Amino acid sequence: MIIKIGSYEFDSVKIEAEAPKEEPARQYYFIKICRSMLKAKFEQDVALGSALKRYGEENLEMMEKNGWYGTFHIQTFGCQMNSRDSEKLDAVLRACGFYETDTEQADFVLYNTCTVRENANLKVYGRLGVLNTLKKKNPDMTIALCGCMMQEEEVVAKIKKSYRFVDIIFGTHNIFKLAELWYNRLIQQSMVVDIWKGTDQIVEELPSERKYPFKSGVNIMFGCNNFCSYCIVPYVRGRERSRNPQDIINEIKRLVADGVVEIMLLGQNVNSYGKTLENPISFASLLKQVEEIEGLERIRFMTSHPKDLSDELIQVMKDSKKICRHLHLPLQSGSTRILKAMNRRYTKEQFLALADKIKKAIPDISLTTDIIVGFPGETEEDFEDTLDVVRQVRFDSAFTFIYSKRTGTPAAVMENQVPEAVVKDRFDRLLKEVQNISAQVCGRDVHTVQQVLAEEIDSHEEGWLSGRLSNNTIVHFKGDPSLIGTLVTVYLEESRGFYYMGTLS
Ligand code: SAH
Ligand code: SF4
Ligand code: F3S
C-alpha cells in the first residue's frame, strides 16, 4: 500500500493483520502502524537532508537519540475536561513517535477547542489563519481539530468550506481514536471528519501523559443532563455517563504508584455522579473509597452543582483528611427569577442557606463560584440580587462572565437580550465587588502554619517555589526544587491579597 505524509510517498509499511475490533487494542494497533510510518518518513528525510533543515542539528541529534520522528503541538482551550482530554491525546501522539514543541511550528498541530462562549470560538478561527501560513511553509504538517466546537454542525461546515487545509476533524466522544483517524488521513488523502452525535462508550486503559508528575485530573463522569438554558455543554458533550467506581479507583491507584499525590475528580456535575450506574452509588461514597487509597494525599473535585449537593457530601468532606478545603459552587445568578429562567433549579435563598450550611460545617473552607452577567431579561434589581449574594457569601474568588448567546440553547431565542453597555457596566461593578471581597477573605490564614503542595519553580524570583494550600490559594516560599511534588509545612508570613509569601518551617 502506498502511504503519503504530506508531500512524501512510501510503500514500506506492511500491515500484517486485520485491525482488532475491540478497544483499546484497536488503537494500539493503529499507534503501531502510525509509528512505523512516521519512522520511515523520518529516516527518508534524514537521508535527504530535509530533516536537518527542518529541525536543526541539535534537535535532530536529540530526536535520533530518543527515537523521536517528528514534533507535535497541542493547544487546549476551555475547561478541565478539555485539559484532561488533551493529556490523553498527548500520550497517543507521543506513542506514535512525536515529541512536543512549545510552538505551532510542528509536524502535527492539534487544537482541542471550546465553545462555551463566543470568544472561545473566535480565538480558534484566529489561530487557524496562523496555521495556514505555517502549513504553506511545511506542507507535511498535519492539522487536527477536536473538542466541543467540532460537535457543532455549522462549525464543521464552515471549516470544510473555508479552511480546506485542515486535515482531521473529530469531536468530544471519539478522542480515543486519534491514531486511527491519522492513519485514515494518511491513506485517504483528504480531510477526515469523524464526529459522533453521542456515545455510551467509555474507553478505558488508553495511555495518558500528565502535565505535572505529582497531580492529575481523573474523569469520573462525562457529559451533562442539566440543560441550563444558556449552556451549550450538554449538546456538545452529550448525556451524562458515569465511569464505574472500580475503574476510577484503579486509575487513581495506578497514578499514585506513579508518583501522583493530588487528584482532581472531574465532571460537569460531580454531585450527580453514579446515579445512572447499574449499581448506583453516590459521589460521597465514591469519595470515601478514594480517601482510602494509600499514598494519595489530596483530593479535589470539580464542578459541584448546588442543586445536587448533599448533606452526606458535606459530612464526608468534614470528616476527611484528604479532601481539600475548597468547593467550587457556581452561583450563575443571585436572582431567583433569573435562576428559574436559567433552569438552575435552586433559589437565591436555597443557595444562601447551602453556602451557610457548608461554612458552618467546615469553617476553613474556601468557596469559589462562577457568575454570568446579562442573561436575557436581567434587570437592575436581578443584578442587585447577585451582588447581594456575593456580599453575603463572601467568595474567595469568582469567575465572572458576560452572557454569550449560544445558538441552539433555549436562552438564545429569549426576548429581552440585555444591551451591551448595560451588561458591561454591571460586569465592571460585579468584578470590583468580587475583587474587594476576595482581597479581604483570601488573607485570612496569614501568620499560621499550613501544609503546602510544592508545585513549581517560582518564575519571578530565583530560589523560590510556588505551591498551593489545601484551599487552593497560592503560596510562594524559598525552597529547593527537589521539594516539588511533596507536601511541605510553610509559615504564611505575609498576605498579598490573592497569594501568600511564606517560609518553610
Ligand atoms: N458544569 C459547570 C459549568 C461548566 S461551564 C456548572 O454547572 O457549574 C463553566 C462556566 O461557564 C459556567 O459555570 C458558566 O458560568 C459559564 N457559562 C456557560 N455558558 C455560558 C454562556 N452562554 N455565557 C456566559 N457564560 C457561560
Ligand atoms: Fe452547563 Fe449547567 Fe451542565 Fe454546567 S450543569 S455544564 S452550566 S448545563
Ligand atoms: Fe468548553 Fe467544552 Fe469545557 S465547551 S468549557 S471545553 S466542556
Side-chain angles (χ1 to χ4, degrees), residues 41 74 76 111 120 173 176 191 369 407 411 442 445 458:
K41 174 182 182 322
I74 301 181
T76 308
Y111 282 176
H173 301 297
F176 67 90
M191 190 189 278
T369 199
T407 309
C442 285
D445 291 325
D458 182 352

PDB file of all heavy atoms in Angstrom, residues 41 74 76 111 120 173 176 191 369 407 411 442 445 458:
ATOM      1  N   LYS A  41       9.306   7.790   7.277  1.00  0.00           N
ATOM      2  CA  LYS A  41       9.397   9.120   6.682  1.00  0.00           C
ATOM      3  C   LYS A  41      10.580   9.897   7.255  1.00  0.00           C
ATOM      4  O   LYS A  41      11.331  10.554   6.530  1.00  0.00           O
ATOM      5  CB  LYS A  41       8.109   9.903   6.916  1.00  0.00           C
ATOM      6  CG  LYS A  41       8.206  11.343   6.452  1.00  0.00           C
ATOM      7  CD  LYS A  41       6.948  12.108   6.746  1.00  0.00           C
ATOM      8  CE  LYS A  41       6.974  13.538   6.255  1.00  0.00           C
ATOM      9  NZ  LYS A  41       8.197  14.259   6.366  1.00  0.00           N
ATOM     10  N   ILE A  74       0.025  20.696  20.963  1.00  0.00           N
ATOM     11  CA  ILE A  74      -1.417  20.718  21.263  1.00  0.00           C
ATOM     12  C   ILE A  74      -1.761  22.033  21.938  1.00  0.00           C
ATOM     13  O   ILE A  74      -1.086  22.451  22.877  1.00  0.00           O
ATOM     14  CB  ILE A  74      -1.837  19.559  22.200  1.00  0.00           C
ATOM     15  CG1 ILE A  74      -1.514  18.212  21.575  1.00  0.00           C
ATOM     16  CG2 ILE A  74      -3.330  19.652  22.531  1.00  0.00           C
ATOM     17  CD1 ILE A  74      -1.919  17.018  22.424  1.00  0.00           C
ATOM     18  N   THR A  76      -4.784  23.770  23.941  1.00  0.00           N
ATOM     19  CA  THR A  76      -6.047  23.407  24.594  1.00  0.00           C
ATOM     20  C   THR A  76      -6.820  24.649  25.003  1.00  0.00           C
ATOM     21  O   THR A  76      -6.282  25.525  25.672  1.00  0.00           O
ATOM     22  CB  THR A  76      -5.763  22.563  25.849  1.00  0.00           C
ATOM     23  OG1 THR A  76      -4.913  21.493  25.484  1.00  0.00           O
ATOM     24  CG2 THR A  76      -7.050  22.005  26.442  1.00  0.00           C
ATOM     25  N   TYR A 111      -5.660  21.346  17.813  1.00  0.00           N
ATOM     26  CA  TYR A 111      -6.395  22.295  18.648  1.00  0.00           C
ATOM     27  C   TYR A 111      -7.567  21.572  19.294  1.00  0.00           C
ATOM     28  O   TYR A 111      -8.441  21.047  18.600  1.00  0.00           O
ATOM     29  CB  TYR A 111      -6.939  23.452  17.799  1.00  0.00           C
ATOM     30  CG  TYR A 111      -5.924  24.503  17.435  1.00  0.00           C
ATOM     31  CD1 TYR A 111      -6.264  25.560  16.600  1.00  0.00           C
ATOM     32  CD2 TYR A 111      -4.625  24.461  17.929  1.00  0.00           C
ATOM     33  CE1 TYR A 111      -5.337  26.538  16.261  1.00  0.00           C
ATOM     34  CE2 TYR A 111      -3.694  25.426  17.601  1.00  0.00           C
ATOM     35  CZ  TYR A 111      -4.049  26.459  16.765  1.00  0.00           C
ATOM     36  OH  TYR A 111      -3.141  27.414  16.433  1.00  0.00           O
ATOM     37  N   ALA A 120     -14.440  32.006  22.776  1.00  0.00           N
ATOM     38  CA  ALA A 120     -13.644  30.778  22.668  1.00  0.00           C
ATOM     39  C   ALA A 120     -13.568  30.358  21.204  1.00  0.00           C
ATOM     40  O   ALA A 120     -12.519  29.950  20.705  1.00  0.00           O
ATOM     41  CB  ALA A 120     -14.261  29.684  23.530  1.00  0.00           C
ATOM     42  N   HIS A 173     -16.496  12.788  21.625  1.00  0.00           N
ATOM     43  CA  HIS A 173     -16.840  11.418  22.032  1.00  0.00           C
ATOM     44  C   HIS A 173     -15.841  10.386  21.540  1.00  0.00           C
ATOM     45  O   HIS A 173     -15.878   9.241  21.947  1.00  0.00           O
ATOM     46  CB  HIS A 173     -18.225  11.048  21.487  1.00  0.00           C
ATOM     47  CG  HIS A 173     -19.306  11.970  21.952  1.00  0.00           C
ATOM     48  ND1 HIS A 173     -19.640  12.100  23.286  1.00  0.00           N
ATOM     49  CD2 HIS A 173     -20.101  12.828  21.277  1.00  0.00           C
ATOM     50  CE1 HIS A 173     -20.620  12.993  23.394  1.00  0.00           C
ATOM     51  NE2 HIS A 173     -20.906  13.448  22.193  1.00  0.00           N
ATOM     52  N   PHE A 176     -10.391   9.019  21.732  1.00  0.00           N
ATOM     53  CA  PHE A 176      -9.530   7.834  21.843  1.00  0.00           C
ATOM     54  C   PHE A 176      -9.086   7.313  20.472  1.00  0.00           C
ATOM     55  O   PHE A 176      -8.156   6.518  20.368  1.00  0.00           O
ATOM     56  CB  PHE A 176     -10.258   6.718  22.632  1.00  0.00           C
ATOM     57  CG  PHE A 176     -11.450   6.162  21.924  1.00  0.00           C
ATOM     58  CD1 PHE A 176     -11.310   5.074  21.066  1.00  0.00           C
ATOM     59  CD2 PHE A 176     -12.711   6.711  22.089  1.00  0.00           C
ATOM     60  CE1 PHE A 176     -12.404   4.557  20.390  1.00  0.00           C
ATOM     61  CE2 PHE A 176     -13.809   6.204  21.410  1.00  0.00           C
ATOM     62  CZ  PHE A 176     -13.659   5.126  20.567  1.00  0.00           C
ATOM     63  N   MET A 191      -9.497  15.485   3.730  1.00  0.00           N
ATOM     64  CA  MET A 191      -9.878  15.787   5.102  1.00  0.00           C
ATOM     65  C   MET A 191     -10.670  14.630   5.728  1.00  0.00           C
ATOM     66  O   MET A 191     -11.573  14.091   5.105  1.00  0.00           O
ATOM     67  CB  MET A 191     -10.733  17.063   5.098  1.00  0.00           C
ATOM     68  CG  MET A 191     -10.997  17.642   6.464  1.00  0.00           C
ATOM     69  SD  MET A 191     -12.236  18.985   6.404  1.00  0.00           S
ATOM     70  CE  MET A 191     -11.287  20.387   5.912  1.00  0.00           C
ATOM     71  N   THR A 369     -16.771  30.567  42.886  1.00  0.00           N
ATOM     72  CA  THR A 369     -18.001  30.460  42.100  1.00  0.00           C
ATOM     73  C   THR A 369     -17.841  30.963  40.664  1.00  0.00           C
ATOM     74  O   THR A 369     -16.797  31.517  40.314  1.00  0.00           O
ATOM     75  CB  THR A 369     -19.134  31.233  42.809  1.00  0.00           C
ATOM     76  OG1 THR A 369     -20.381  30.798  42.315  1.00  0.00           O
ATOM     77  CG2 THR A 369     -18.999  32.743  42.620  1.00  0.00           C
ATOM     78  N   THR A 407     -26.087  29.583  19.977  1.00  0.00           N
ATOM     79  CA  THR A 407     -27.149  29.109  19.092  1.00  0.00           C
ATOM     80  C   THR A 407     -27.514  27.669  19.442  1.00  0.00           C
ATOM     81  O   THR A 407     -26.631  26.839  19.628  1.00  0.00           O
ATOM     82  CB  THR A 407     -26.672  29.181  17.629  1.00  0.00           C
ATOM     83  OG1 THR A 407     -26.169  30.494  17.435  1.00  0.00           O
ATOM     84  CG2 THR A 407     -27.782  28.898  16.653  1.00  0.00           C
ATOM     85  N   ALA A 411     -31.910  29.863  25.762  1.00  0.00           N
ATOM     86  CA  ALA A 411     -31.749  31.287  26.079  1.00  0.00           C
ATOM     87  C   ALA A 411     -31.475  32.126  24.834  1.00  0.00           C
ATOM     88  O   ALA A 411     -31.764  33.320  24.814  1.00  0.00           O
ATOM     89  CB  ALA A 411     -30.631  31.474  27.098  1.00  0.00           C
ATOM     90  N   CYS A 442      -9.108  36.327  51.245  1.00  0.00           N
ATOM     91  CA  CYS A 442      -8.021  35.406  50.921  1.00  0.00           C
ATOM     92  C   CYS A 442      -6.900  35.408  51.953  1.00  0.00           C
ATOM     93  O   CYS A 442      -6.215  34.406  52.109  1.00  0.00           O
ATOM     94  CB  CYS A 442      -7.448  35.728  49.550  1.00  0.00           C
ATOM     95  SG  CYS A 442      -8.524  35.176  48.253  1.00  0.00           S
ATOM     96  N   ASP A 445      -5.645  33.297  56.480  1.00  0.00           N
ATOM     97  CA  ASP A 445      -4.759  32.325  57.141  1.00  0.00           C
ATOM     98  C   ASP A 445      -3.376  32.893  57.433  1.00  0.00           C
ATOM     99  O   ASP A 445      -2.467  32.146  57.827  1.00  0.00           O
ATOM    100  CB  ASP A 445      -4.613  31.070  56.273  1.00  0.00           C
ATOM    101  CG  ASP A 445      -5.909  30.284  56.215  1.00  0.00           C
ATOM    102  OD1 ASP A 445      -6.628  30.249  57.235  1.00  0.00           O
ATOM    103  OD2 ASP A 445      -6.220  29.724  55.145  1.00  0.00           O
ATOM    104  N   ASP A 458       9.151  29.143  41.147  1.00  0.00           N
ATOM    105  CA  ASP A 458       8.547  30.463  41.035  1.00  0.00           C
ATOM    106  C   ASP A 458       9.282  31.239  39.946  1.00  0.00           C
ATOM    107  O   ASP A 458      10.481  31.495  40.052  1.00  0.00           O
ATOM    108  CB  ASP A 458       8.677  31.165  42.396  1.00  0.00           C
ATOM    109  CG  ASP A 458       8.033  32.534  42.391  1.00  0.00           C
ATOM    110  OD1 ASP A 458       7.633  32.991  41.300  1.00  0.00           O
ATOM    111  OD2 ASP A 458       7.938  33.143  43.456  1.00  0.00           O
TER     112      ASP A 458
END
